[in-house]
Amino acid sequence: MKKAQKGLNAGLLGSMCWPDIQDKERLQVCADFVNYLFHLDDLTDEMDAISAGGVREAVIDVLDDPEKWTKKISRREAHAISVLTLEQVSRTPHIVSDSNAADSMWLRICRTATPLVQRRFRDTLEEFFVAIMDEAIDRKKKVIRGVQDYIIRRRANGAVRPCFVLIEYANGFELPESVWHHPIIRDLQDWADDLVSWANGGFYLSVCACLF
């Protein structure tokens, strides 16, 4: 896992995804999230719907009530992914941070993100979990969706949407609701999501092909 994370080069990827960040602490958080997302996607890739739902609860409930989960973690009653969510520290190489290493990724986001941006981040992350649970059900039932259905589903389970929200966090602004939900902005998100998700799928396919 550590070797894979090093190969991911989240520091460079974060700098390329959020190139206008002036605050190195916010860049650190974004890079940490890339590492975290990589682990989360790998963890849930082959799970059934029940197991994926358990991970969803372990992540989303932490975002909703971090104080409760801090106590559960201290009592060693929490899922490992809950610990990672709440105690994700600055481990991304090539980025120097002056933040307290004990600060969690989520609490660092909450420190400067507006309540609305926090809610958008939480909601887009939950949409990802709903999508992977639906995908797990399809996998169990051996359902093969048509192209259009696949495109729509891929936009949700590619975990790209939370990264769009981090644009607001990283640059210290909040889009009005009228802008966030505007059809043009939605189209831009869909197109960017398709580009990232399909490119990732093509890369994964090429890796799988090398195994046979």
PDB file of all heavy atoms in Angstrom, residues 167-204:
ATOM      1  N   ILE A 167     -12.224  22.586  -4.675  1.00  0.00           N
ATOM      2  CA  ILE A 167     -11.811  23.806  -5.380  1.00  0.00           C
ATOM      3  C   ILE A 167     -12.240  25.027  -4.567  1.00  0.00           C
ATOM      4  O   ILE A 167     -11.482  25.997  -4.418  1.00  0.00           O
ATOM      5  CB  ILE A 167     -12.423  23.860  -6.795  1.00  0.00           C
ATOM      6  CG1 ILE A 167     -11.874  22.724  -7.663  1.00  0.00           C
ATOM      7  CG2 ILE A 167     -12.142  25.212  -7.452  1.00  0.00           C
ATOM      8  CD1 ILE A 167     -12.539  22.620  -9.026  1.00  0.00           C
ATOM      9  N   GLU A 168     -13.456  24.970  -4.033  1.00  0.00           N
ATOM     10  CA  GLU A 168     -13.946  26.069  -3.195  1.00  0.00           C
ATOM     11  C   GLU A 168     -13.116  26.182  -1.919  1.00  0.00           C
ATOM     12  O   GLU A 168     -12.678  27.273  -1.531  1.00  0.00           O
ATOM     13  CB  GLU A 168     -15.418  25.843  -2.841  1.00  0.00           C
ATOM     14  CG  GLU A 168     -16.364  25.840  -4.032  1.00  0.00           C
ATOM     15  CD  GLU A 168     -17.791  25.558  -3.618  1.00  0.00           C
ATOM     16  OE1 GLU A 168     -18.479  26.508  -3.199  1.00  0.00           O
ATOM     17  OE2 GLU A 168     -18.219  24.384  -3.708  1.00  0.00           O
ATOM     18  N   TYR A 169     -12.923  25.037  -1.261  1.00  0.00           N
ATOM     19  CA  TYR A 169     -12.137  25.041  -0.025  1.00  0.00           C
ATOM     20  C   TYR A 169     -10.713  25.538  -0.272  1.00  0.00           C
ATOM     21  O   TYR A 169     -10.198  26.401   0.447  1.00  0.00           O
ATOM     22  CB  TYR A 169     -12.094  23.628   0.566  1.00  0.00           C
ATOM     23  CG  TYR A 169     -10.946  23.416   1.522  1.00  0.00           C
ATOM     24  CD1 TYR A 169     -10.984  23.940   2.812  1.00  0.00           C
ATOM     25  CD2 TYR A 169      -9.800  22.723   1.115  1.00  0.00           C
ATOM     26  CE1 TYR A 169      -9.912  23.770   3.683  1.00  0.00           C
ATOM     27  CE2 TYR A 169      -8.731  22.548   1.980  1.00  0.00           C
ATOM     28  CZ  TYR A 169      -8.787  23.075   3.262  1.00  0.00           C
ATOM     29  OH  TYR A 169      -7.721  22.912   4.109  1.00  0.00           O
ATOM     30  N   ALA A 170     -10.090  24.997  -1.306  1.00  0.00           N
ATOM     31  CA  ALA A 170      -8.679  25.291  -1.557  1.00  0.00           C
ATOM     32  C   ALA A 170      -8.440  26.763  -1.857  1.00  0.00           C
ATOM     33  O   ALA A 170      -7.402  27.322  -1.487  1.00  0.00           O
ATOM     34  CB  ALA A 170      -8.171  24.438  -2.717  1.00  0.00           C
ATOM     35  N   ASN A 171      -9.401  27.381  -2.519  1.00  0.00           N
ATOM     36  CA  ASN A 171      -9.219  28.776  -2.927  1.00  0.00           C
ATOM     37  C   ASN A 171      -9.978  29.763  -2.046  1.00  0.00           C
ATOM     38  O   ASN A 171      -9.993  30.965  -2.333  1.00  0.00           O
ATOM     39  CB  ASN A 171      -9.645  28.938  -4.386  1.00  0.00           C
ATOM     40  CG  ASN A 171      -8.722  28.188  -5.331  1.00  0.00           C
ATOM     41  OD1 ASN A 171      -7.614  28.616  -5.621  1.00  0.00           O
ATOM     42  ND2 ASN A 171      -9.173  27.029  -5.812  1.00  0.00           N
ATOM     43  N   GLY A 172     -10.612  29.254  -0.993  1.00  0.00           N
ATOM     44  CA  GLY A 172     -11.212  30.128   0.003  1.00  0.00           C
ATOM     45  C   GLY A 172     -12.436  30.887  -0.453  1.00  0.00           C
ATOM     46  O   GLY A 172     -12.612  32.054  -0.092  1.00  0.00           O
ATOM     47  N   PHE A 173     -13.288  30.245  -1.244  1.00  0.00           N
ATOM     48  CA  PHE A 173     -14.532  30.911  -1.630  1.00  0.00           C
ATOM     49  C   PHE A 173     -15.690  29.925  -1.552  1.00  0.00           C
ATOM     50  O   PHE A 173     -15.493  28.721  -1.369  1.00  0.00           O
ATOM     51  CB  PHE A 173     -14.438  31.527  -3.032  1.00  0.00           C
ATOM     52  CG  PHE A 173     -14.274  30.524  -4.153  1.00  0.00           C
ATOM     53  CD1 PHE A 173     -15.363  29.853  -4.690  1.00  0.00           C
ATOM     54  CD2 PHE A 173     -13.016  30.264  -4.689  1.00  0.00           C
ATOM     55  CE1 PHE A 173     -15.211  28.937  -5.721  1.00  0.00           C
ATOM     56  CE2 PHE A 173     -12.847  29.348  -5.723  1.00  0.00           C
ATOM     57  CZ  PHE A 173     -13.952  28.682  -6.238  1.00  0.00           C
ATOM     58  N   GLU A 174     -16.890  30.463  -1.688  1.00  0.00           N
ATOM     59  CA  GLU A 174     -18.104  29.649  -1.659  1.00  0.00           C
ATOM     60  C   GLU A 174     -18.995  30.054  -2.823  1.00  0.00           C
ATOM     61  O   GLU A 174     -19.379  31.215  -2.939  1.00  0.00           O
ATOM     62  CB  GLU A 174     -18.852  29.862  -0.342  1.00  0.00           C
ATOM     63  CG  GLU A 174     -20.211  29.181  -0.275  1.00  0.00           C
ATOM     64  CD  GLU A 174     -21.020  29.629   0.935  1.00  0.00           C
ATOM     65  OE1 GLU A 174     -20.665  29.227   2.060  1.00  0.00           O
ATOM     66  OE2 GLU A 174     -21.996  30.398   0.752  1.00  0.00           O
ATOM     67  N   LEU A 175     -19.288  29.108  -3.691  1.00  0.00           N
ATOM     68  CA  LEU A 175     -20.197  29.394  -4.795  1.00  0.00           C
ATOM     69  C   LEU A 175     -21.623  29.531  -4.266  1.00  0.00           C
ATOM     70  O   LEU A 175     -22.060  28.706  -3.454  1.00  0.00           O
ATOM     71  CB  LEU A 175     -20.158  28.273  -5.833  1.00  0.00           C
ATOM     72  CG  LEU A 175     -18.901  28.151  -6.696  1.00  0.00           C
ATOM     73  CD1 LEU A 175     -19.008  26.913  -7.585  1.00  0.00           C
ATOM     74  CD2 LEU A 175     -18.695  29.396  -7.541  1.00  0.00           C
ATOM     75  N   PRO A 176     -22.354  30.543  -4.707  1.00  0.00           N
ATOM     76  CA  PRO A 176     -23.771  30.623  -4.331  1.00  0.00           C
ATOM     77  C   PRO A 176     -24.518  29.384  -4.823  1.00  0.00           C
ATOM     78  O   PRO A 176     -24.124  28.768  -5.820  1.00  0.00           O
ATOM     79  CB  PRO A 176     -24.254  31.888  -5.056  1.00  0.00           C
ATOM     80  CG  PRO A 176     -23.017  32.675  -5.342  1.00  0.00           C
ATOM     81  CD  PRO A 176     -21.925  31.676  -5.551  1.00  0.00           C
ATOM     82  N   GLU A 177     -25.577  29.037  -4.148  1.00  0.00           N
ATOM     83  CA  GLU A 177     -26.356  27.862  -4.535  1.00  0.00           C
ATOM     84  C   GLU A 177     -26.855  27.971  -5.974  1.00  0.00           C
ATOM     85  O   GLU A 177     -26.906  26.975  -6.697  1.00  0.00           O
ATOM     86  CB  GLU A 177     -27.548  27.690  -3.589  1.00  0.00           C
ATOM     87  CG  GLU A 177     -27.189  27.163  -2.213  1.00  0.00           C
ATOM     88  CD  GLU A 177     -26.932  25.659  -2.226  1.00  0.00           C
ATOM     89  OE1 GLU A 177     -25.838  25.257  -2.676  1.00  0.00           O
ATOM     90  OE2 GLU A 177     -27.808  24.897  -1.802  1.00  0.00           O
ATOM     91  N   SER A 178     -27.212  29.187  -6.380  1.00  0.00           N
ATOM     92  CA  SER A 178     -27.716  29.376  -7.742  1.00  0.00           C
ATOM     93  C   SER A 178     -26.648  29.060  -8.784  1.00  0.00           C
ATOM     94  O   SER A 178     -26.958  28.598  -9.887  1.00  0.00           O
ATOM     95  CB  SER A 178     -28.215  30.815  -7.929  1.00  0.00           C
ATOM     96  OG  SER A 178     -27.170  31.747  -7.678  1.00  0.00           O
ATOM     97  N   VAL A 179     -25.392  29.301  -8.429  1.00  0.00           N
ATOM     98  CA  VAL A 179     -24.283  28.991  -9.337  1.00  0.00           C
ATOM     99  C   VAL A 179     -23.954  27.501  -9.272  1.00  0.00           C
ATOM    100  O   VAL A 179     -23.770  26.845 -10.304  1.00  0.00           O
ATOM    101  CB  VAL A 179     -23.037  29.829  -8.989  1.00  0.00           C
ATOM    102  CG1 VAL A 179     -21.851  29.427  -9.863  1.00  0.00           C
ATOM    103  CG2 VAL A 179     -23.336  31.315  -9.152  1.00  0.00           C
ATOM    104  N   TRP A 180     -23.876  26.970  -8.064  1.00  0.00           N
ATOM    105  CA  TRP A 180     -23.537  25.555  -7.870  1.00  0.00           C
ATOM    106  C   TRP A 180     -24.495  24.637  -8.630  1.00  0.00           C
ATOM    107  O   TRP A 180     -24.086  23.633  -9.199  1.00  0.00           O
ATOM    108  CB  TRP A 180     -23.560  25.227  -6.380  1.00  0.00           C
ATOM    109  CG  TRP A 180     -23.297  23.786  -6.050  1.00  0.00           C
ATOM    110  CD1 TRP A 180     -24.210  22.846  -5.676  1.00  0.00           C
ATOM    111  CD2 TRP A 180     -22.031  23.115  -6.073  1.00  0.00           C
ATOM    112  NE1 TRP A 180     -23.599  21.632  -5.460  1.00  0.00           N
ATOM    113  CE2 TRP A 180     -22.262  21.770  -5.693  1.00  0.00           C
ATOM    114  CE3 TRP A 180     -20.729  23.516  -6.367  1.00  0.00           C
ATOM    115  CZ2 TRP A 180     -21.243  20.824  -5.607  1.00  0.00           C
ATOM    116  CZ3 TRP A 180     -19.704  22.578  -6.286  1.00  0.00           C
ATOM    117  CH2 TRP A 180     -19.969  21.250  -5.909  1.00  0.00           C
ATOM    118  N   HIS A 181     -25.772  25.001  -8.648  1.00  0.00           N
ATOM    119  CA  HIS A 181     -26.780  24.164  -9.301  1.00  0.00           C
ATOM    120  C   HIS A 181     -27.114  24.619 -10.722  1.00  0.00           C
ATOM    121  O   HIS A 181     -28.021  24.060 -11.341  1.00  0.00           O
ATOM    122  CB  HIS A 181     -28.063  24.145  -8.461  1.00  0.00           C
ATOM    123  CG  HIS A 181     -27.904  23.472  -7.128  1.00  0.00           C
ATOM    124  ND1 HIS A 181     -27.736  22.111  -6.990  1.00  0.00           N
ATOM    125  CD2 HIS A 181     -27.861  23.987  -5.868  1.00  0.00           C
ATOM    126  CE1 HIS A 181     -27.612  21.804  -5.707  1.00  0.00           C
ATOM    127  NE2 HIS A 181     -27.682  22.915  -5.007  1.00  0.00           N
ATOM    128  N   HIS A 182     -26.385  25.603 -11.220  1.00  0.00           N
ATOM    129  CA  HIS A 182     -26.676  26.109 -12.566  1.00  0.00           C
ATOM    130  C   HIS A 182     -26.376  25.027 -13.608  1.00  0.00           C
ATOM    131  O   HIS A 182     -25.374  24.304 -13.495  1.00  0.00           O
ATOM    132  CB  HIS A 182     -25.836  27.356 -12.855  1.00  0.00           C
ATOM    133  CG  HIS A 182     -26.295  28.123 -14.051  1.00  0.00           C
ATOM    134  ND1 HIS A 182     -25.987  27.743 -15.345  1.00  0.00           N
ATOM    135  CD2 HIS A 182     -27.062  29.246 -14.150  1.00  0.00           C
ATOM    136  CE1 HIS A 182     -26.527  28.599 -16.191  1.00  0.00           C
ATOM    137  NE2 HIS A 182     -27.185  29.523 -15.500  1.00  0.00           N
ATOM    138  N   PRO A 183     -27.222  24.896 -14.630  1.00  0.00           N
ATOM    139  CA  PRO A 183     -27.011  23.853 -15.647  1.00  0.00           C
ATOM    140  C   PRO A 183     -25.633  23.896 -16.305  1.00  0.00           C
ATOM    141  O   PRO A 183     -25.061  22.840 -16.611  1.00  0.00           O
ATOM    142  CB  PRO A 183     -28.121  24.145 -16.667  1.00  0.00           C
ATOM    143  CG  PRO A 183     -29.197  24.816 -15.882  1.00  0.00           C
ATOM    144  CD  PRO A 183     -28.491  25.626 -14.845  1.00  0.00           C
ATOM    145  N   ILE A 184     -25.088  25.081 -16.513  1.00  0.00           N
ATOM    146  CA  ILE A 184     -23.766  25.172 -17.146  1.00  0.00           C
ATOM    147  C   ILE A 184     -22.692  24.589 -16.227  1.00  0.00           C
ATOM    148  O   ILE A 184     -21.811  23.836 -16.671  1.00  0.00           O
ATOM    149  CB  ILE A 184     -23.430  26.635 -17.506  1.00  0.00           C
ATOM    150  CG1 ILE A 184     -24.370  27.133 -18.614  1.00  0.00           C
ATOM    151  CG2 ILE A 184     -21.971  26.761 -17.943  1.00  0.00           C
ATOM    152  CD1 ILE A 184     -24.160  28.582 -18.996  1.00  0.00           C
ATOM    153  N   ILE A 185     -22.770  24.916 -14.938  1.00  0.00           N
ATOM    154  CA  ILE A 185     -21.811  24.370 -13.972  1.00  0.00           C
ATOM    155  C   ILE A 185     -21.976  22.861 -13.864  1.00  0.00           C
ATOM    156  O   ILE A 185     -20.989  22.108 -13.803  1.00  0.00           O
ATOM    157  CB  ILE A 185     -21.990  25.032 -12.593  1.00  0.00           C
ATOM    158  CG1 ILE A 185     -21.702  26.536 -12.675  1.00  0.00           C
ATOM    159  CG2 ILE A 185     -21.081  24.368 -11.554  1.00  0.00           C
ATOM    160  CD1 ILE A 185     -20.290  26.875 -13.105  1.00  0.00           C
ATOM    161  N   ARG A 186     -23.213  22.395 -13.871  1.00  0.00           N
ATOM    162  CA  ARG A 186     -23.463  20.952 -13.815  1.00  0.00           C
ATOM    163  C   ARG A 186     -22.883  20.244 -15.036  1.00  0.00           C
ATOM    164  O   ARG A 186     -22.300  19.159 -14.930  1.00  0.00           O
ATOM    165  CB  ARG A 186     -24.973  20.690 -13.712  1.00  0.00           C
ATOM    166  CG  ARG A 186     -25.564  21.021 -12.351  1.00  0.00           C
ATOM    167  CD  ARG A 186     -24.903  20.201 -11.266  1.00  0.00           C
ATOM    168  NE  ARG A 186     -25.553  20.355  -9.981  1.00  0.00           N
ATOM    169  CZ  ARG A 186     -25.133  19.800  -8.861  1.00  0.00           C
ATOM    170  NH1 ARG A 186     -24.044  19.048  -8.878  1.00  0.00           N
ATOM    171  NH2 ARG A 186     -25.763  19.984  -7.724  1.00  0.00           N
ATOM    172  N   ASP A 187     -23.055  20.862 -16.194  1.00  0.00           N
ATOM    173  CA  ASP A 187     -22.488  20.273 -17.413  1.00  0.00           C
ATOM    174  C   ASP A 187     -20.962  20.222 -17.339  1.00  0.00           C
ATOM    175  O   ASP A 187     -20.342  19.220 -17.719  1.00  0.00           O
ATOM    176  CB  ASP A 187     -22.911  21.083 -18.642  1.00  0.00           C
ATOM    177  CG  ASP A 187     -24.352  20.819 -19.056  1.00  0.00           C
ATOM    178  OD1 ASP A 187     -24.923  19.806 -18.594  1.00  0.00           O
ATOM    179  OD2 ASP A 187     -24.899  21.618 -19.838  1.00  0.00           O
ATOM    180  N   LEU A 188     -20.359  21.298 -16.854  1.00  0.00           N
ATOM    181  CA  LEU A 188     -18.897  21.321 -16.720  1.00  0.00           C
ATOM    182  C   LEU A 188     -18.420  20.217 -15.779  1.00  0.00           C
ATOM    183  O   LEU A 188     -17.409  19.550 -16.039  1.00  0.00           O
ATOM    184  CB  LEU A 188     -18.442  22.689 -16.205  1.00  0.00           C
ATOM    185  CG  LEU A 188     -18.504  23.859 -17.196  1.00  0.00           C
ATOM    186  CD1 LEU A 188     -18.220  25.179 -16.477  1.00  0.00           C
ATOM    187  CD2 LEU A 188     -17.506  23.654 -18.331  1.00  0.00           C
ATOM    188  N   GLN A 189     -19.150  20.022 -14.686  1.00  0.00           N
ATOM    189  CA  GLN A 189     -18.795  18.955 -13.752  1.00  0.00           C
ATOM    190  C   GLN A 189     -18.911  17.586 -14.418  1.00  0.00           C
ATOM    191  O   GLN A 189     -18.031  16.726 -14.254  1.00  0.00           O
ATOM    192  CB  GLN A 189     -19.692  19.017 -12.514  1.00  0.00           C
ATOM    193  CG  GLN A 189     -19.400  20.186 -11.593  1.00  0.00           C
ATOM    194  CD  GLN A 189     -20.219  20.120 -10.312  1.00  0.00           C
ATOM    195  OE1 GLN A 189     -21.154  19.330 -10.186  1.00  0.00           O
ATOM    196  NE2 GLN A 189     -19.871  20.955  -9.350  1.00  0.00           N
ATOM    197  N   ASP A 190     -19.987  17.390 -15.166  1.00  0.00           N
ATOM    198  CA  ASP A 190     -20.179  16.102 -15.848  1.00  0.00           C
ATOM    199  C   ASP A 190     -19.053  15.832 -16.841  1.00  0.00           C
ATOM    200  O   ASP A 190     -18.511  14.719 -16.900  1.00  0.00           O
ATOM    201  CB  ASP A 190     -21.523  16.080 -16.582  1.00  0.00           C
ATOM    202  CG  ASP A 190     -22.711  15.949 -15.644  1.00  0.00           C
ATOM    203  OD1 ASP A 190     -22.505  15.601 -14.470  1.00  0.00           O
ATOM    204  OD2 ASP A 190     -23.851  16.196 -16.098  1.00  0.00           O
ATOM    205  N   TRP A 191     -18.692  16.839 -17.617  1.00  0.00           N
ATOM    206  CA  TRP A 191     -17.655  16.648 -18.637  1.00  0.00           C
ATOM    207  C   TRP A 191     -16.298  16.368 -17.992  1.00  0.00           C
ATOM    208  O   TRP A 191     -15.553  15.496 -18.455  1.00  0.00           O
ATOM    209  CB  TRP A 191     -17.579  17.881 -19.538  1.00  0.00           C
ATOM    210  CG  TRP A 191     -18.850  18.153 -20.290  1.00  0.00           C
ATOM    211  CD1 TRP A 191     -19.819  17.237 -20.624  1.00  0.00           C
ATOM    212  CD2 TRP A 191     -19.316  19.421 -20.767  1.00  0.00           C
ATOM    213  NE1 TRP A 191     -20.853  17.858 -21.287  1.00  0.00           N
ATOM    214  CE2 TRP A 191     -20.580  19.194 -21.398  1.00  0.00           C
ATOM    215  CE3 TRP A 191     -18.812  20.717 -20.740  1.00  0.00           C
ATOM    216  CZ2 TRP A 191     -21.319  20.222 -21.983  1.00  0.00           C
ATOM    217  CZ3 TRP A 191     -19.546  21.746 -21.327  1.00  0.00           C
ATOM    218  CH2 TRP A 191     -20.780  21.492 -21.942  1.00  0.00           C
ATOM    219  N   ALA A 192     -15.992  17.125 -16.946  1.00  0.00           N
ATOM    220  CA  ALA A 192     -14.721  16.898 -16.250  1.00  0.00           C
ATOM    221  C   ALA A 192     -14.714  15.525 -15.580  1.00  0.00           C
ATOM    222  O   ALA A 192     -13.705  14.809 -15.597  1.00  0.00           O
ATOM    223  CB  ALA A 192     -14.490  17.995 -15.210  1.00  0.00           C
ATOM    224  N   ASP A 193     -15.850  15.167 -14.999  1.00  0.00           N
ATOM    225  CA  ASP A 193     -15.984  13.860 -14.356  1.00  0.00           C
ATOM    226  C   ASP A 193     -15.779  12.736 -15.370  1.00  0.00           C
ATOM    227  O   ASP A 193     -15.060  11.761 -15.115  1.00  0.00           O
ATOM    228  CB  ASP A 193     -17.379  13.751 -13.725  1.00  0.00           C
ATOM    229  CG  ASP A 193     -17.436  12.717 -12.612  1.00  0.00           C
ATOM    230  OD1 ASP A 193     -16.625  11.778 -12.629  1.00  0.00           O
ATOM    231  OD2 ASP A 193     -18.301  12.845 -11.734  1.00  0.00           O
ATOM    232  N   ASP A 194     -16.405  12.875 -16.534  1.00  0.00           N
ATOM    233  CA  ASP A 194     -16.245  11.861 -17.586  1.00  0.00           C
ATOM    234  C   ASP A 194     -14.781  11.728 -17.996  1.00  0.00           C
ATOM    235  O   ASP A 194     -14.266  10.611 -18.151  1.00  0.00           O
ATOM    236  CB  ASP A 194     -17.083  12.236 -18.816  1.00  0.00           C
ATOM    237  CG  ASP A 194     -18.582  12.106 -18.574  1.00  0.00           C
ATOM    238  OD1 ASP A 194     -18.970  11.459 -17.582  1.00  0.00           O
ATOM    239  OD2 ASP A 194     -19.357  12.654 -19.382  1.00  0.00           O
ATOM    240  N   LEU A 195     -14.118  12.852 -18.170  1.00  0.00           N
ATOM    241  CA  LEU A 195     -12.724  12.836 -18.603  1.00  0.00           C
ATOM    242  C   LEU A 195     -11.844  12.092 -17.599  1.00  0.00           C
ATOM    243  O   LEU A 195     -11.050  11.211 -17.967  1.00  0.00           O
ATOM    244  CB  LEU A 195     -12.218  14.268 -18.786  1.00  0.00           C
ATOM    245  CG  LEU A 195     -10.754  14.429 -19.214  1.00  0.00           C
ATOM    246  CD1 LEU A 195     -10.529  13.809 -20.586  1.00  0.00           C
ATOM    247  CD2 LEU A 195     -10.357  15.901 -19.221  1.00  0.00           C
ATOM    248  N   VAL A 196     -12.008  12.426 -16.320  1.00  0.00           N
ATOM    249  CA  VAL A 196     -11.188  11.804 -15.281  1.00  0.00           C
ATOM    250  C   VAL A 196     -11.537  10.323 -15.121  1.00  0.00           C
ATOM    251  O   VAL A 196     -10.657   9.459 -15.079  1.00  0.00           O
ATOM    252  CB  VAL A 196     -11.368  12.544 -13.937  1.00  0.00           C
ATOM    253  CG1 VAL A 196     -10.646  11.798 -12.815  1.00  0.00           C
ATOM    254  CG2 VAL A 196     -10.851  13.970 -14.036  1.00  0.00           C
ATOM    255  N   SER A 197     -12.828  10.030 -15.039  1.00  0.00           N
ATOM    256  CA  SER A 197     -13.265   8.652 -14.787  1.00  0.00           C
ATOM    257  C   SER A 197     -12.923   7.725 -15.944  1.00  0.00           C
ATOM    258  O   SER A 197     -12.473   6.593 -15.738  1.00  0.00           O
ATOM    259  CB  SER A 197     -14.775   8.619 -14.520  1.00  0.00           C
ATOM    260  OG  SER A 197     -15.103   9.362 -13.365  1.00  0.00           O
ATOM    261  N   TRP A 198     -13.131   8.188 -17.167  1.00  0.00           N
ATOM    262  CA  TRP A 198     -12.831   7.336 -18.323  1.00  0.00           C
ATOM    263  C   TRP A 198     -11.325   7.134 -18.477  1.00  0.00           C
ATOM    264  O   TRP A 198     -10.876   6.043 -18.833  1.00  0.00           O
ATOM    265  CB  TRP A 198     -13.415   7.938 -19.593  1.00  0.00           C
ATOM    266  CG  TRP A 198     -14.912   8.014 -19.597  1.00  0.00           C
ATOM    267  CD1 TRP A 198     -15.772   7.554 -18.627  1.00  0.00           C
ATOM    268  CD2 TRP A 198     -15.731   8.602 -20.607  1.00  0.00           C
ATOM    269  NE1 TRP A 198     -17.074   7.828 -18.970  1.00  0.00           N
ATOM    270  CE2 TRP A 198     -17.083   8.470 -20.184  1.00  0.00           C
ATOM    271  CE3 TRP A 198     -15.469   9.237 -21.815  1.00  0.00           C
ATOM    272  CZ2 TRP A 198     -18.156   8.945 -20.939  1.00  0.00           C
ATOM    273  CZ3 TRP A 198     -16.542   9.709 -22.573  1.00  0.00           C
ATOM    274  CH2 TRP A 198     -17.862   9.558 -22.140  1.00  0.00           C
ATOM    275  N   ALA A 199     -10.566   8.190 -18.230  1.00  0.00           N
ATOM    276  CA  ALA A 199      -9.108   8.056 -18.314  1.00  0.00           C
ATOM    277  C   ALA A 199      -8.611   7.066 -17.266  1.00  0.00           C
ATOM    278  O   ALA A 199      -7.746   6.224 -17.538  1.00  0.00           O
ATOM    279  CB  ALA A 199      -8.442   9.418 -18.122  1.00  0.00           C
ATOM    280  N   ASN A 200      -9.184   7.156 -16.069  1.00  0.00           N
ATOM    281  CA  ASN A 200      -8.806   6.231 -15.008  1.00  0.00           C
ATOM    282  C   ASN A 200      -9.192   4.798 -15.375  1.00  0.00           C
ATOM    283  O   ASN A 200      -8.433   3.851 -15.147  1.00  0.00           O
ATOM    284  CB  ASN A 200      -9.492   6.639 -13.699  1.00  0.00           C
ATOM    285  CG  ASN A 200      -9.041   5.802 -12.527  1.00  0.00           C
ATOM    286  OD1 ASN A 200      -7.859   5.701 -12.233  1.00  0.00           O
ATOM    287  ND2 ASN A 200      -9.990   5.181 -11.840  1.00  0.00           N
ATOM    288  N   GLY A 201     -10.383   4.648 -15.978  1.00  0.00           N
ATOM    289  CA  GLY A 201     -10.820   3.326 -16.406  1.00  0.00           C
ATOM    290  C   GLY A 201      -9.932   2.748 -17.492  1.00  0.00           C
ATOM    291  O   GLY A 201      -9.609   1.558 -17.482  1.00  0.00           O
ATOM    292  N   GLY A 202      -9.517   3.602 -18.419  1.00  0.00           N
ATOM    293  CA  GLY A 202      -8.619   3.143 -19.481  1.00  0.00           C
ATOM    294  C   GLY A 202      -7.268   2.722 -18.944  1.00  0.00           C
ATOM    295  O   GLY A 202      -6.699   1.714 -19.376  1.00  0.00           O
ATOM    296  N   PHE A 203      -6.771   3.483 -17.966  1.00  0.00           N
ATOM    297  CA  PHE A 203      -5.491   3.130 -17.350  1.00  0.00           C
ATOM    298  C   PHE A 203      -5.605   1.800 -16.611  1.00  0.00           C
ATOM    299  O   PHE A 203      -4.738   0.932 -16.717  1.00  0.00           O
ATOM    300  CB  PHE A 203      -5.062   4.233 -16.385  1.00  0.00           C
ATOM    301  CG  PHE A 203      -3.825   3.903 -15.596  1.00  0.00           C
ATOM    302  CD1 PHE A 203      -2.572   3.959 -16.187  1.00  0.00           C
ATOM    303  CD2 PHE A 203      -3.911   3.528 -14.257  1.00  0.00           C
ATOM    304  CE1 PHE A 203      -1.428   3.643 -15.467  1.00  0.00           C
ATOM    305  CE2 PHE A 203      -2.782   3.207 -13.531  1.00  0.00           C
ATOM    306  CZ  PHE A 203      -1.534   3.270 -14.137  1.00  0.00           C
ATOM    307  N   TYR A 204      -6.705   1.637 -15.868  1.00  0.00           N
ATOM    308  CA  TYR A 204      -6.911   0.401 -15.108  1.00  0.00           C
ATOM    309  C   TYR A 204      -7.035  -0.794 -16.046  1.00  0.00           C
ATOM    310  O   TYR A 204      -6.506  -1.875 -15.778  1.00  0.00           O
ATOM    311  CB  TYR A 204      -8.169   0.533 -14.251  1.00  0.00           C
ATOM    312  CG  TYR A 204      -8.458  -0.672 -13.388  1.00  0.00           C
ATOM    313  CD1 TYR A 204      -7.684  -0.943 -12.256  1.00  0.00           C
ATOM    314  CD2 TYR A 204      -9.500  -1.543 -13.702  1.00  0.00           C
ATOM    315  CE1 TYR A 204      -7.941  -2.047 -11.463  1.00  0.00           C
ATOM    316  CE2 TYR A 204      -9.767  -2.651 -12.914  1.00  0.00           C
ATOM    317  CZ  TYR A 204      -8.984  -2.894 -11.796  1.00  0.00           C
ATOM    318  OH  TYR A 204      -9.240  -3.989 -11.018  1.00  0.00           O
TER     319      TYR A 204
END
